[in-house]
Amino acid sequence: MTDWIQKLTAPDREFSAMPFWFLNADLDHTEIRRQLNDFASHGIYGVVLHPRIGMRDDLVYLSEAFFSYIRTAVEEADRLGMKVILYDEGMYPSGSASGQVVEGHPELASRGIALTQTLQPGDHLLCRTEQGMLVERFSHGTIRGIHFGEDDGEANAPLSADILNPVAVSRFIMLTHEAYWRHLSPYFGNTVCGFFTDEPSILGRNTRDMQPWTYGFAELFVKSGGHLEGLTGLFDGHENADTRLYHALILERESEVYYRTLSDWCADHGIALMGHPHQSDDIEVERFFHVPGQDLVFRWVSPERGDTAGVDSTMGKCSADAARLMGRRRNSNECFGACNRDGNPWYFTGGDMKWMIDYLTVRGVNLLIPHAFYYSLEGSRSAERPPDVGPGSIWWEHYSVWAQYMARVCYLMTDAVFRPKIAVLCRNRKLVPEIVEPLFRTQRGFQYLPESVWKECHVEHGKLECRGMTFDAVLGDAALFPEVGHAADRVSPDCTCLPPQPALRVAAFEHAGRACWYLVNSGEETIECDVVLPTRVSVDGYDLWHGESVSLVVGQKEGNTCVHVCMNRRESLLIYACMEGECAGTSARTRQTVTGIEWSLVSEEPEHFRKTYTANWGGQADADEIELTVAGEEMAEIWVNGTFCDVSFWNPHRLHIPAECLRPGENRLELRMTGSPANRYGTQKVQYGLTHMHS
């Protein structure tokens, strides 16, 4: 086994997932330490300390008592060799210090512009138009707080602050960042690696019929050549020169006043600005993040919706491509939040989670921030943006399998060198999913180039060059570079599938000097095809989920290396070029498929939504391991002669039994099927157990 494969099989801790840890209850120092130790024992070596609704009423955000618990968490993480990302709000969106920015300073509350027929007290009239009056007014937006009674629509929901106002942002940093620095400065730059800012919202939550604004913005807008009456287009959907100027100035203001200020503070204090902006296609502000990020929530992409349609389908490439442009080593995604099936809280399957991990990482995301691990599931806490994808999940006992997989693919996508040949020109919040969808479906890599870098692009010998990258074709606003080709199908794909496979996603790159192709089956059916690679070198295969080499059927087609691929639902595969002296496939385990098993239901535990089945097998193992396939929901565990052998998290379940677990003659098989936690916490029961008793 090469050193590179060893690192891939057992990645360093720096590639660990770093989940949101919902600090959502009556905190206890001993329990904080216990949970962190539990995380580490399951392969999680970092957390985001996230103050969350459910904290006791008398625990004041940013008080000395509050920081006593935060300090305990940081100290214990330091002892365990874990990393901590601090969270800059209580609870979200960021920028208001749980209402403390506005407390005593009402002039710092969020503002907006509205088109109205009637003036309200406090309105500042900007202009009269045929459609009505344009007025500046407080938005009365709120954020979600950390105590019961402070949620959306509740009386004590904290007021949001005007993050376009430098005075408000300065106060926000003084209240939050500086307080964390005072209490934890010895840990900054080592255990504390970043500050997470979470989808800052200019207007705040729960506002209607308003657009972002700030004090003094009218003068800036007019001075920049704008006409206030033209801003009626913000409300009737008619874009014009004034609305375009408005959006450009708002973006510039938000970038400079909020994001740059936070970014500079983090850099000055030896940590990274992390988190994500408000929208999935907010690509321009990503340049202020030391770890660009996005978030995948509410099943915006999912197996049933697909991964290439709509604004939110662009989020994975948004952060990854921004990171590449800015020379950032890592980019992140806050993933799995409220990603429940059928509107049923907690109905989130292992198959869904695997699909989403693959969706993100094949696009270049290399730091996963699972949403979330709950400190407590007591009472209504279990219904607050579920599911718990950590200790409260059915797979926690086996979580090291998930932790290893996430670390493995994040290691693979870190320090990878991509050389896409297609540039997609885009603007902020316009990442043209309809243009890039065919590229995904034909395995063609591309790089987003946002408007802010166009001025750095130039054409040499019919190719577009930008920040060290060279492109053979330009899509999007192609008229800007007419000398470059605009037909993507004339650019060679990263691999050629025979027959075509629109559900196959491919990332082509170099890692540690090796050519690599990371393949993901994003569909629901098995993919079987020949994959022709643009190389003539020998290649080897690696099963990323199981962390082991696999034998490939390799040939040649028209002088290029051709690999026959058969990928089942939810499978991922790494194909990589062998280095000199290596022999392809020598470390792959042999596998024997076993069928004809008759299962008998022997027990059911409704309180644990678990069914247990048994069977006898009297065959002989003629390989390193045997593979059984069973159909059922949701988690399958297999024991042989009383010894645990394997676990599977999605259907159909392929369970592997090492030959050494089998004895001559008859073997007793025990299969446990555990169902969704929606059966405990959800609104509907979800079927579990075997679908077919014969496998």
Side-chain angles (χ1 to χ4, degrees), residues 1 5 540-543 547-551 576 585-589:
M1 185 181 291
I5 289 293
D540 211 340
Y542 187 85
D543 180 337
E548 60 188 26
S549 294
V550 293
S551 297
Y576 62 93
T586 55
S587 59
R589 290 173 61 84

Side-chain angles (χ1 to χ4, degrees), residues 619-630:
Q620 180 178 347
D622 297 320
D624 294 327
E625 61 187 26
I626 67 170
E627 180 181 88
L628 308 178
T629 300
V630 298

Side-chain angles (χ1 to χ4, degrees), residues 13-25:
R13 287 186 172 201
E14 69 170 303
F15 303 105
S16 168
M18 298 188 70
F20 268 26
W21 186 19
F22 282 6
L23 303 177
N24 65 348

Side-chain angles (χ1 to χ4, degrees), residues 226-467:
H227 304 86
L228 290 169
E229 58 273 16
L231 295 182
T232 56
L234 297 173
F235 301 93
D236 61 20
H238 290 92
E239 184 180 280
N240 57 55
D242 291 311
T243 60
R244 287 191 291 272
L245 176 62
Y246 163 85
H247 287 301
L249 291 176
I250 287 287
L251 175 60
E252 181 181 5
R253 181 80 171 220
E254 183 183 28
S255 298
E256 294 300 319
V257 171
Y258 187 80
Y259 288 107
R260 185 181 294 280
T261 303
L262 269 61
S263 182
D264 288 348
W265 189 95
C266 288
D268 290 343
H269 292 78
I271 61 173
L273 176 61
M274 302 177 68
H276 60 86
H278 191 58
Q279 300 288 350
S280 295
D281 50 357
D282 268 328
I283 195 168
E284 291 288 14
V285 298
E286 295 281 12
R287 68 183 183 273
F288 299 104
F289 288 84
H290 304 110
V291 179
Q294 279 292 344
D295 68 332
L296 195 173
V297 296
F298 296 121
R299 298 185 81 83
W300 286 340
V301 294
S302 62
E304 71 277 8
R305 289 188 179 185
D307 63 337
T308 58
V311 168
D312 298 305
S313 72
T314 65
M315 71 174 70
K317 285 286 285 181
C318 178
S319 63
D321 285 14
R324 193 172 304 123
L325 279 174
M326 307 306 154
R328 309 299 195 194
R329 186 167 180 252
R330 307 294 296 273
N331 77 98
S332 71
N333 194 280
E334 172 199 330
C335 44
F336 318 141
C339 286
N340 302 295
R341 286 176 170 263
D342 305 329
N344 186 4
W346 286 83
Y347 188 17
F348 178 68
T349 68
D352 291 341
M353 189 156 81
K354 176 63 160 57
W355 187 95
M356 291 177 183
I357 292 169
D358 292 348
Y359 156 80
L360 292 167
T361 54
V362 79
R363 286 160 169 78
V365 175
N366 58 19
L367 173 57
L368 297 174
I369 301 178
H371 179 299
F373 288 15
Y374 285 49
Y375 181 94
S376 172
L377 290 170
E378 184 180 359
S380 61
R381 294 172 180 85
S382 66
E384 200 275 296
R385 298 294 191 268
D388 180 325
V389 296
S393 69
I394 62 172
W395 51 70
W396 183 242
E397 181 181 355
H398 304 291
Y399 197 84
S400 58
V401 177
W402 288 105
Q404 280 278 69
Y405 181 68
M406 289 188 281
R408 195 171 289 138
V409 288
C410 286
Y411 165 75
L412 183 65
M413 302 310 284
T414 302
D415 302 323
V417 179
F418 291 82
R419 294 187 176 90
K421 296 302 180 184
I422 300 173
V424 177
L425 305 185
C426 62
R427 291 182 166 86
N428 197 56
R429 297 191 177 178
K430 292 183 179 180
L431 299 194
V432 291
E434 68 282 358
I435 291 178
V436 303
E437 181 172 15
L439 305 181
F440 286 118
R441 296 169 67 85
T442 57
Q443 296 81 45
R444 286 176 164 84
F446 67 92
Q447 168 72 42
Y448 277 125
L449 296 180
E451 189 174 9
S452 59
V453 305
W454 293 355
K455 59 183 178 296
E456 301 177 44
C457 298
H458 62 281
V459 178
E460 291 282 346
H461 308 297
K463 298 178 184 291
L464 184 69
E465 297 190 0
C466 184
R467 296 197 176 184

Side-chain angles (χ1 to χ4, degrees), residues 107-281:
E107 73 281 2
L108 300 182
S110 296
R111 296 173 185 257
I113 184 176
L115 181 64
T116 182
Q117 304 300 320
T118 306
L119 289 176
Q120 298 178 3
D123 282 352
H124 173 62
L125 178 64
L126 297 174
C127 68
R128 298 180 185 273
T129 73
E130 292 182 359
Q131 292 89 344
M133 294 175 284
L134 281 170
V135 300
E136 174 188 336
R137 60 174 53 149
F138 288 113
S139 72
H140 302 293
T142 57
I143 72 167
R144 303 185 71 206
I146 63 173
H147 302 120
F148 291 123
E150 297 178 350
D151 208 344
D152 287 335
E154 295 184 326
N156 295 323
L159 283 175
S160 62
D162 180 1
I163 63 171
L164 301 183
N165 184 335
V167 177
V169 173
S170 177
R171 180 166 168 78
F172 171 60
I173 287 180
M174 181 269 292
L175 289 166
T176 55
H177 297 62
E178 293 290 348
Y180 275 96
W181 172 254
R182 287 194 304 274
H183 287 87
L184 300 169
S185 58
Y187 300 97
F188 273 56
N190 41 77
T191 300
V192 174
C193 62
F195 237 128
F196 194 105
T197 198
D198 198 355
E199 58 185 60
S201 171
I202 299 170
L203 290 170
R205 295 170 67 87
N206 303 301
T207 62
R208 294 182 59 190
D209 303 324
M210 301 185 76
Q211 295 291 330
W213 203 257
T214 189
Y215 180 77
F217 194 74
E219 291 78 5
L220 173 64
F221 179 75
V222 172
K223 186 178 180 180
S224 300
H227 304 86
L228 290 169
E229 58 273 16
L231 295 182
T232 56
L234 297 173
F235 301 93
D236 61 20
H238 290 92
E239 184 180 280
N240 57 55
D242 291 311
T243 60
R244 287 191 291 272
L245 176 62
Y246 163 85
H247 287 301
L249 291 176
I250 287 287
L251 175 60
E252 181 181 5
R253 181 80 171 220
E254 183 183 28
S255 298
E256 294 300 319
V257 171
Y258 187 80
Y259 288 107
R260 185 181 294 280
T261 303
L262 269 61
S263 182
D264 288 348
W265 189 95
C266 288
D268 290 343
H269 292 78
I271 61 173
L273 176 61
M274 302 177 68
H276 60 86
H278 191 58
Q279 300 288 350
S280 295
D281 50 357

